[in-house]
Amino acid sequence: MKDLLLSMLRPFGPSGSEAPISAAIAERIRPFVDEIKTDALGNLIAVRRGKGGKRVMFSAHMDSIGYIVLDADKEGFLRVSNIGGVNPATAAGRHVVFANGVAGVVYSEPLGSDKPAIGKLFIDVGASSAEEALAKVPLGTMAVVAHQWSEMGDLVAAPFMDDRAACAVLAALLEALGPTDNEVCAVFSTQEEVGLRGARAAAYAVNPDIGVAIDVTPAGGVPKADPPLPVRVGQGPAVKVKDAASISTPLVRDGLVAAAGEAGVPFQYEVLPYGGTDAGAIMSARGGVPSGTLSIPCRYVHSPVETVSLTDMENAVKLLKAYVEKIVR
Ligand code: CO
Ligand code: ZN
């Protein structure tokens, strides 16, 4: 699982610029699916055909948070806007890489400010004028934090666990699935971080009987966590009850819990007072789709050190395999 996860963390792919990560995922999953295509929004949709059973759509978003170039000042420092929910408190003092390969560093003004904000961030690409900066990275170019990771026992910390950890789980699920009458539609969705946009379009086209988003969820249990979130890293995948974008359909929520029992893996219930996953878009597609989310507990979500447990990820694969093979009928 570690190697698969790392292969998913490296490729570039902020919202709307997912082609590099999409290509990496397609290459990885191709041997395990019957059909694979990319839609107009860049969603990668892979189908593993069934035999007259239910059509289950899984969605793991490929896009990550990042930056986009707004302007450059006369000294050659770039001003940026955020793509998705970049946390300004953990943004400064990082290496970044742009879509065209240009490297830079992000910092915050005034230097050493204790009131971080996106509007105070700037990116240094070694230019000495606005013209030079914008020649290197034109207006509208996107950037992400440079890949770096730490292994801490069972935990791995890196940028973009949200939601590449789930992309790895979904890829591993396709590989692990045994014979089943149910059709599995694995959607690696785009533009989740800017409003669940890819999954909304994919859910309409796929027209599933059941929808399951796979995403990270903020874990509590870290110093002075507020609000006191119930989920803990390392205590099993989390079955979402509610977030700000969806209240899981009982059929799916209880089915995932039953699958944990079938698979013999631990699970936790998740209640998140904010946030959202692709399930929010899938459940309101067409006439409504029974939907839920299986979450991978993650510390420091939307920071460059998002931290997950490899065991939680492996247990998520086992749970979802049992869900498709034994619970959905
Ligand atoms: Co996110
Ligand atoms: Zn996410």
Side-chain angles (χ1 to χ4, degrees), residues 252-272:
V252 179
R253 180 196 68 206
D254 297 344
L256 291 170
V257 169
E262 285 282 349
V265 303
F267 80 98
Q268 321 175 56
Y269 281 112
E270 174 205 347
V271 178
L272 186 64

Side-chain angles (χ1 to χ4, degrees), residues 155-246:
L155 308 187
V156 178
F160 318 134
M161 290 298 183
D162 179 9
D163 194 22
R164 305 292 176 74
C167 292
V169 164
L170 185 49
L173 174 67
L174 291 170
E175 192 169 343
L177 274 175
T180 166
D181 289 343
N182 296 317
E183 177 179 306
V184 172
C185 249
V187 175
F188 297 86
S189 66
T190 55
Q191 300 195 38
E192 188 271 354
E193 296 289 1
V194 290
L196 320 180
R197 295 174 191 165
R200 186 167 293 120
Y204 185 91
V206 167
N207 192 13
D209 296 306
I210 285 175
V212 179
I214 315 168
D215 209 328
V216 298
T217 189
V222 293
K224 293 192 178 167
D226 179 39
L229 303 172
V231 168
R232 296 288 180 274
V233 165
Q235 293 186 11
V239 175
K240 191 184 293 284
V241 178
K242 176 201 178 290
D243 61 26
S246 70

Side-chain angles (χ1 to χ4, degrees), residues 73 75-80 94-98 102-108 121-128 133 136-137:
D73 69 19
E75 312 270 13
F77 295 97
L78 294 159
R79 291 295 169 164
V80 292
R94 305 287 174 177
H95 296 271
V96 294
V97 55
F98 286 87
V102 169
V105 293
V106 57
Y107 218 83
S108 180
L121 298 176
F122 60 87
I123 294 182
D124 186 345
V125 289
S128 49
K136 279 189 161 187
V137 275

Side-chain angles (χ1 to χ4, degrees), residues 13 55 87 135 163:
R55 178 177 298 149
N87 178 356
D163 194 22

